[in-house]
Amino acid sequence: MKNFKTAFALILAVIMCLPLAIFASAAAEDGSYEITNPYANINWDSVQAYKTALHTHTNASDGDDVLAASIERHAQTGFDIVATTDHGTVNYSWIDPNPNKLIYGVMSLIGKTEGDLVYLGKEGTFADGTSYTVSVNEKGDEYLTLADGKQILRVPYGIENNAVSVNAHVNSWFADYSDNTITTYEDAVIGVDKAGGVSVINHPGEYTKARYEIRSEDAYNESNPAYNYYINKFATLINDYDSCIGIDINSKGDNRTRFDRILWDTLLKRFSANGENVYAIATSDAHQLSVIDTGYTLALMEENSSAALKSALQNGEIFAASHCLGNYDELVDIAASLKEFYGETALYNKVNTTALEMEAKINGIENGEYDADESIGITYSTLSDGFNTANADPRITSIGVNEDTDEITVSTTDALIVRFISDGELICTKKADDATIDLNDYADVLGDYVRIEVFGEGGIVYTQAFLLDAAAKAGTSDPVDSSYANLGVLDFLFAEFNNWYAVIVRFFSNLF
């Protein structure tokens, strides 16, 4: 009987351990991933993260303020690099006015802008009493030098293309290109590509009307023919023209771009499956001084020069960053992590309160309390009167990749949590002082890439994507559906129809 009990116990133990053995054999082993690190060539001991404004406006097109006031506010808010990107207007200098007379005249005629143009000259004094000089070095780079010695680089040939299109806006730099006829995304990207510049698709939620969606699951849903069309449209531009590096994912307070991280992840899923990356920037798209420090891009460079900036953009050696967040689901997850790691702090209460206000607005729209086509209009922000009120912005000081152990480690300052995302899903959140992820622990939920978000009191920073086994996947899939056919300048009607169809459905659903 004793032998029987012993044998029975042994058999039972084997049965109980069998699932664990199966699970262990299915788990990834150390060194099983080839990780493509977009920051592999960065020397973290010597590199600097230059705060960069890639999208701003003045009264040369439809901005409210003169260039001198815009540059002054950028200086006050700590920018190292500024691109002046007025609609249809190539920026040649900050010294003397160089407007596009057609754009400036039309904008003035329709009341979009008014007043004389006020540029910087070769020297002067800002309204706050700060003196400055403007000079061009031997390489052709133009710098504003403040009285304390700080320099701000002007990005050459900044412009927002497609001035007379229907929100098909493409920002470009480093290329003397413009076309103010009725043009499409394709026209602008091709023109910039031929001229040797760099371009990005601006605030795509504006064109696709994703800004008017209420729930994340509806935005850029590929089962929706309109969204599927636009995803393929953007994928085609990025796939066919290396000079088009990606999209703007957070701009101007993030109300209209709050779902554009979903688009980014959708594009990343398509491209990373083929061993390729899609880069993201963040901007202010500032038409008013109060908006200037909402979104920005951090360029990782050894020197502050145009050549270094162009290289950083082309190679993805940048971080997108923002002082604002407008996505409800992201805020709910961030609030939960803050509470888990730090308790019910003042910051937790601020983030959670914003999420609750957004939830009430979402429910109000769906219940007919607000107009059915009204967007949320609520965001988390660290700004007051256009200035950041947090003690410091979160910054990434280094990223280490250990391919022997499949670990990615993020070192930060002024950060609280670090979020790891793959295939558009949050796979884990770490405290900022212990932000190492072992990819093997998440083998069952990993896609073809991992990207990272760093959140602190001062806002959020987004890394570019780390591709997994990219070399083995290169050329194995097409980011663009074979059925895609470009409809050209009239394809904005897809978004209009899609938006109004959704409005009508919500309206009638509230009646019954």
Side-chain angles (χ1 to χ4, degrees):
M1 187 67 176
K2 181 178 179 180
N3 290 338
F4 174 80
K5 289 182 177 179
T6 302
F8 180 80
L10 181 61
I11 294 170
L12 184 61
V14 170
I15 292 173
M16 291 179 66
C17 291
L18 189 59
L20 295 177
I22 294 172
F23 177 81
S25 66
E29 298 178 356
D30 287 349
S32 60
Y33 295 103
E34 178 189 349
I35 306 170
T36 301
N37 176 7
Y39 309 105
N41 295 323
I42 297 296
N43 182 340
W44 296 103
D45 293 329
S46 58
V47 76
Q48 294 188 59
Y50 291 95
K51 187 175 180 179
T52 304
L54 291 171
H55 188 173
T56 66
H57 293 277
T58 74
N59 69 328
S61 62
D62 62 345
D64 290 355
D65 303 284
V66 298
L67 182 135
S70 172
I71 302 303
E72 178 183 6
R73 179 58 65 87
H74 281 94
Q76 292 170 337
T77 50
F79 281 88
D80 303 294
I81 304 170
V82 177
T84 304
T85 55
D86 280 306
H87 294 275
T89 305
V90 177
N91 179 260
Y92 296 105
S93 173
W94 286 341
I95 296 174
D96 299 310
N98 47 78
N100 180 310
K101 293 182 179 179
L102 172 64
I103 298 296
Y104 182 57
V106 170
M107 291 291 181
S108 299
L109 185 65
I110 63 176
K112 285 288 188 179
T113 189
E114 59 184 23
D116 296 331
L117 303 178
V118 181
Y119 278 50
L120 299 179
K122 292 185 177 180
E123 61 182 26
T125 303
F126 286 130
D128 66 0
T130 302
S131 61
Y132 64 82
T133 59
V134 181
S135 59
V136 179
N137 69 9
E138 66 280 1
K139 295 181 180 179
D141 284 342
E142 183 174 294
Y143 295 90
L144 167 82
T145 303
L146 300 173
D148 63 1
K150 178 182 171 62
Q151 289 190 317
I152 300 177
L153 171 70
R154 180 187 68 85
V155 184
Y157 304 123
I159 181 175
E160 185 167 30
N161 293 284
N162 294 347
V164 296
S165 68
V166 185
N167 286 321
H169 293 167
V170 173
N171 252 37
S172 66
W173 318 271
F174 314 109
D176 187 0
Y177 170 81
S178 66
D179 182 349
N180 287 315
T181 60
I182 297 176
T183 47
T184 65
Y185 277 116
E186 290 78 11
D187 295 325
V189 170
I190 291 170
V192 173
D193 186 78
K194 289 180 178 179
V198 176
S199 68
V200 75
I201 297 164
N202 288 345
H203 44 70
E206 187 82 26
Y207 190 80
T208 63
K209 298 297 186 292
R211 65 174 298 179
Y212 293 109
E213 293 292 358
I214 309 304
R215 300 284 182 181
S216 291
E217 56 266 29
D218 296 323
Y220 298 110
N221 188 320
E222 292 181 85
S223 65
N224 181 323
Y227 285 133
N228 189 56
Y229 175 87
Y230 288 117
I231 291 164
N232 279 291
K233 182 182 184 70
F234 298 143
T236 298
L237 294 173
I238 296 167
N239 187 61
D240 292 351
Y241 304 97
D242 290 340
S243 57
C244 183
I245 62 172
I247 67 173
D248 174 8
I249 60 164
N250 187 323
S251 69
K252 193 186 288 185
D254 196 38
N255 181 44
R256 62 183 174 166
T257 55
R258 67 186 180 275
F259 296 124
D260 287 347
R261 271 88 68 194
I262 296 174
L263 172 62
W264 184 30
D265 281 314
T266 301
L267 291 169
L268 279 172
K269 281 191 284 187
R270 290 183 175 219
F271 278 84
S272 62
N274 196 44
E276 299 173 282
N277 216 329
V278 177
Y279 300 139
I281 69 168
T283 71
S284 68
D285 188 8
H287 290 67
Q288 300 83 27
L289 299 183
S290 60
V291 181
I292 280 174
D293 199 22
T294 48
Y296 55 98
T297 297
L298 295 166
L300 304 177
M301 308 185 301
E302 298 283 343
E303 65 173 11
N304 191 6
S305 68
S306 294
L309 176 62
K310 185 176 183 181
S311 176
L313 290 170
Q314 291 172 322
N315 294 315
E317 295 171 342
I318 55 177
F319 301 131
S322 181
H323 290 128
C324 305
L325 268 177
N327 184 285
Y328 169 75
D329 298 294
E330 292 172 356
L331 289 171
V332 168
D333 286 338
I334 288 170
S337 296
L338 290 173
K339 183 178 181 180
E340 176 187 355
F341 293 139
Y342 302 100
E344 295 188 10
T345 62
L347 179 60
Y348 159 76
N349 287 327
K350 181 178 180 180
V351 175
N352 190 55
T353 297
T354 304
L356 291 174
E357 290 173 351
M358 293 178 71
E359 182 180 33
K361 185 70 174 290
I362 291 169
N363 291 334
I365 292 172
E366 292 182 333
N367 295 332
E369 182 180 349
Y370 305 108
D371 290 341
D373 60 343
E374 186 174 346
S375 58
I376 301 301
I378 297 171
T379 61
Y380 167 83
S381 176
T382 71
L383 300 177
S384 177
D385 298 325
F387 291 90
N388 185 26
T389 57
N391 291 327
D393 297 333
R395 289 288 182 263
I396 297 171
T397 55
S398 69
I399 301 176
V401 173
N402 188 330
E403 289 207 48
D404 292 332
T405 61
D406 297 324
E407 291 180 322
I408 301 175
T409 299
V410 184
S411 298
T412 61
T413 58
D414 297 303
L416 294 170
I417 61 172
V418 178
R419 293 155 42 88
F420 296 86
I421 293 158
S422 183
D423 275 8
E425 300 295 330
L426 178 66
I427 59 174
C428 75
T429 303
K430 303 277 188 177
K431 288 185 70 173
D433 59 3
D434 186 26
T436 295
I437 182 175
D438 184 339
L439 298 182
N440 300 299
D441 294 340
Y442 303 93
D444 57 334
V445 293
L446 278 179
D448 297 312
Y449 72 92
V450 175
R451 64 175 182 86
I452 304 165
E453 298 179 356
V454 174
F455 180 86
E457 183 183 358
I460 192 163
V461 178
Y462 308 87
T463 73
Q464 305 306 320
F466 295 74
L467 305 185
L468 305 180
D469 302 325
K473 296 168 183 173
T476 61
S477 65
D478 191 340
V480 182
D481 293 344
S482 59
S483 60
Y484 170 72
N486 180 30
L487 298 180
V489 71
L490 294 179
D491 62 18
F492 75 93
L493 293 174
F494 270 117
E496 295 292 345
F497 173 80
N498 185 59
N499 179 47
W500 286 107
Y501 173 79
V503 168
I504 292 169
V505 168
R506 285 199 297 269
F507 175 77
F508 281 104
S509 66
N510 290 327
L511 294 180
F512 301 101

